[in-house]
Amino acid sequence: MVLAAHHRRDRSTAADFEVPVFDEAAGVLVVVDYAERWDTADLLTLLRDAHVSGRVPVRVLLLARPAGTWWDSLKGRMQRDLGLVPSRRELAPLERESGITRAGLFAVARDRFAELLRVPGAGAAAAPPALERHDAYQLVLTVHMAALAAVLAAERGQDAPVDPARVSEFLLARERDHWEAMASPRREKPLATSPEAMGQIVYTATLTGRLGYDDGKAALARAEVESTQAIGQLLKDHALCYPPAAASGPGPASPEGGSAAHASATVLEPLYPDRLGEDFLALSTPGHSYDFPVDLWAQTASARLLAPPAGADGGPGEHGGVPVWARHAVTTLIEAAHRWPHLAQRQLYPLLAAAPHLAVHAGGAALARLAELDDVDVELLAAVEALLPGHRHIDLDIGAAAIASRLAGHWLPAVTDPAIRAQIHDTLALRLFRVGMHTRALAEGNQALRLWHQVAALNRAAHLPDLVISVHNQATFLAEVGRRVEAVSFSEEAVRLYGELVELDRDAYLPGLAGSLDNHALLLGEVGRRAEAVGFGEEAVRLLGELVELDRGAYLPGLACSLNVHALLLGEVGRRAEAVGFSEEAVRLYGELVELNRDAYLPDLACSLNNHANLLAEIGRRAEAVLFGEEELRLQGELVELNRDAYLPDLAKSLNNHALRLAEVGRRVEAVSFSEEAVRLYGELATLNRDAYLPGLAISSSNHALRLAEVGRRAEALLVSEQAVRLQGELATLNRDAYLLGLANSLSNHAVRLGEVGRRAEAVLVSEQAVRLRRELAALNREAYLPGLAMSLNNHASRVGDVGRRAEALLAGEEAVRVHRELAELNPDAYLPDYLQSLVTRGYVLLENSRFRAATTSLAEALLASRELPEDAVQSLVGVAANLLRLAYARDASAVADEFRVVTGQDIPVWMKQPPSATAN
């Protein structure tokens, strides 16, 4: 099944789009023509649209004229934001790809046009002599236009036009003949609009694109079409010549649910194909040397259409002081200027020089095409660049990068001042980074940094602020290309330099220091240096708190974000009780911000609620965690209602987390339904965008398997767990460094699932793989991955013990206890619960080996250590240890009593003498 996607700007209708039925489709191909004219945000929304395909494979084909910066930056966004791996194919001339000659293509098109138009003898019409040598005839469209012109010329007994511009001239003359025929007095109902006025309406429509009725009236009024007819009559007559597209049936897919089902609600249907419309603009506007009659009215038509409003904003045809058709008009002029120099010099450049904001309004793709014009004035580009936002902008970033590249290419060869050269490189690096061109950004950042070091060595006081910004940015660039260890050294240097600046001028540079501390903390956490990260995060929070005291409105969002990050870092080092205080404050501040601007901060509030709920669960406040999780789910549902595409992934993640929290409070049956829904949503997302959402599907599948096992549905759990392992293996094959940890986790969990259904020999093999991968990870980064290795060793001890390989079980158990003890000594808050688990597991293995005294030692140590933790955090573990001690006492009362007394200094309690329960572990 093939769908054509149209942008909402091209569908001025409120009609809902009815999604086709995909059940019998083998797949869906969504074709986006003129993709370069779409907002980047809307293209990304379309690519992850959950309504497009249901559960069938989907592919999206973007058709665009330009490549270059537009494509490179869009590709970066698709890779970074959606996890896609897009491919690009630059279409060579058809004869090179298929072996079809231009003459052959011309002949096929000529014969078909002759058949359709019923022109006998047109099959003998010769191809234009320029067909094989003119570059424009590399395009199939141009060849087809020449074929149509040849048939029409044969019908009239005329010579066919030769070069492509003459072909357009010939076809446009036929359009004029059509207008004259429609207005002829000999016609039963002649049009009231004269051919001259119709030409001006077509000119206007080509610039504005189709519009709603009121906007269409405003456009013709602004254009000052030369006619005595009322504007309403002009629009009706134009619609008779150029009926709205697909007026009789449902239209193609739109990313916002639009269709052409009520296309009659639109007016000013443009002249198609677009290339012919652009040629009409050029040939109607004075400044060319062709015979096509120019219209002096056209000399200022564009300026009138795009002039600022005379009165207040908000009237028909206006939006924020800019005509609603401005984007289409400027984009069309830029595209036409690539082939018609007089349009560039006499129309486009003067227009944008007087109103550079119109170029910004046209969007990122149009800016990128503007930057590609050979003769564009760099001063004009500089004026446009000055209006671009300094921060990230999802649409304009593409054009900003292209303009920065063009300006840098012009200025750098002529500039000798190293400070100015450094600024150019810095600006370009940031612009490139924001569109995902990270490798180029890193190279430009290197150039800037080298120059700043050079000038700072000569005048440190003057250039230290520039140097520190460049160092800070370089840390970010390095991290984004995966060179995080190097990035840490740069972020560390940025912190040091900002500290030096703060000593000189605290008020000016304190915000920069706070930002660099936050960035450094995040990078340290990413390389496993979590204890250090906490210190820097703490300082960032303190400084932002100080700044909020000075200017609450300016710095409150930064403080809320920093509190949230600091809470996460504290949680990672086991200081969860402290972390909860920070996450609670982040929730409170985001709640305050939501009161001020709900649209801006509601997603942040939902995120902070999720983090807070996770931390509450980790410190045993599980009932509260569930309540916060429920509130977060409510907000996520609200966000999904507003924008399903943007927030569905967050909802899937929240469902997954909430299932875990429900299970922790014993609501396991409910938990299964939430984890099942999480898997379903991730499956839906992965169907639309496998690369982006496969990791989420893999993780949620592994967690769902655990939820199923907890309610006794072990056979189902095993199937879901097998899927999780398969998906993680697929991911690790694509990117071993990124997904090796996920594969190790899923293997470890799968070993447990296999053991639960009695497939113990297989469980051991899978567990061995998990331990091997954990050792590999720990060898790369011991601090980051040693906890995972300890846990896998603990689980592996149980697995090999189940199959009677008791010597191996003892070795694995001893190593697990040793590693967990090492971790617990470094950070008791984080790792004491896991140390207890390893002691209990070792006790179980020793008990299975009939080493009752040694088992008692391990289990008694676990009971003693459990006193240092909240009872509800280790209640189930203490229960297992106690039952194992009863079992040991039942088998060798004397030895167990003696050893218990040695370890604890107490006689055995009464409960140890009670019979053990049926399940010991």
Side-chain angles (χ1 to χ4, degrees), residues 369-393:
R369 287 294 278 165
L370 177 66
E372 292 169 4
L373 285 164
D374 291 336
D375 62 347
V376 66
D377 185 357
V378 293
E379 296 303 322
L380 170 59
L381 291 181
V384 173
E385 202 275 340
L387 298 178
L388 293 172
H391 53 76
R392 187 184 295 276
H393 190 289

Side-chain angles (χ1 to χ4, degrees), residues 317-340:
E318 298 296 335
H319 178 70
V322 177
V324 296
W325 53 80
R327 186 179 182 115
H328 189 283
V330 174
T331 299
T332 301
L333 284 173
I334 291 172
E335 202 59 55
H338 276 267
R339 292 182 296 110
W340 295 96

Side-chain angles (χ1 to χ4, degrees), residues 6 30-31 151 162 171-172 211 263 281 322 391 610 674 676 768 776 829 848 859:
H6 288 275
V30 180
V31 181
V151 170
V162 178
L171 294 175
L172 290 168
L211 297 171
L281 293 180
V322 177
H391 53 76
N610 180 58
F674 281 92
E676 188 171 40
E768 285 174 344
E776 182 179 334
D829 292 337
E848 289 293 295
L859 295 167

Side-chain angles (χ1 to χ4, degrees), residues 898-918:
D898 288 344
E899 188 62 24
F900 189 86
R901 193 176 298 109
V902 169
V903 175
T904 66
Q906 301 173 3
D907 291 332
I908 60 170
V910 174
W911 58 261
M912 276 184 62
K913 299 178 182 180
Q914 297 172 354
S917 63

